[in-house]
Amino acid sequence: MKKLIITLSLFAFFFVTPMFLLAQTPPHPNGGGGPGGGNTPVGGAAPIDGGLTVMMVLGAAYASRKVFQQQK
């Protein structure tokens, strides 16, 4: 019975908590300037190549390790 109460309490906590969390609004595309003040994209021109390359290398290393372990 104690395990059921703990499980239901955790479920209720994780179900109700997101209702009270609020995210920030995205920044203005031009850094708060006027409509003609610049041509910055909404993402702020942040590069995704570095992180994407790292994730691809880590995924390939993980997959090759799993294949090597399976062949043993």
Side-chain angles (χ1 to χ4, degrees):
M1 184 68 175
K2 185 176 180 180
K3 190 172 184 176
L4 178 66
I5 292 172
I6 292 173
T7 304
L8 288 176
S9 298
L10 285 174
F11 177 74
F13 175 75
F14 287 118
F15 185 72
V16 174
T17 301
M19 293 179 194
F20 300 109
L21 300 176
L22 301 174
Q24 295 178 349
T25 57
H28 191 272
N30 294 329
N39 195 13
T40 308
V42 176
I48 62 168
D49 179 47
L52 184 62
T53 304
V54 169
M55 289 297 290
M56 287 174 48
V57 168
L58 289 175
Y62 179 72
S64 63
R65 180 175 181 256
K66 286 297 207 177
V67 168
F68 180 72
Q69 283 181 348
Q70 190 176 13
Q71 289 179 353
K72 268 187 161 181

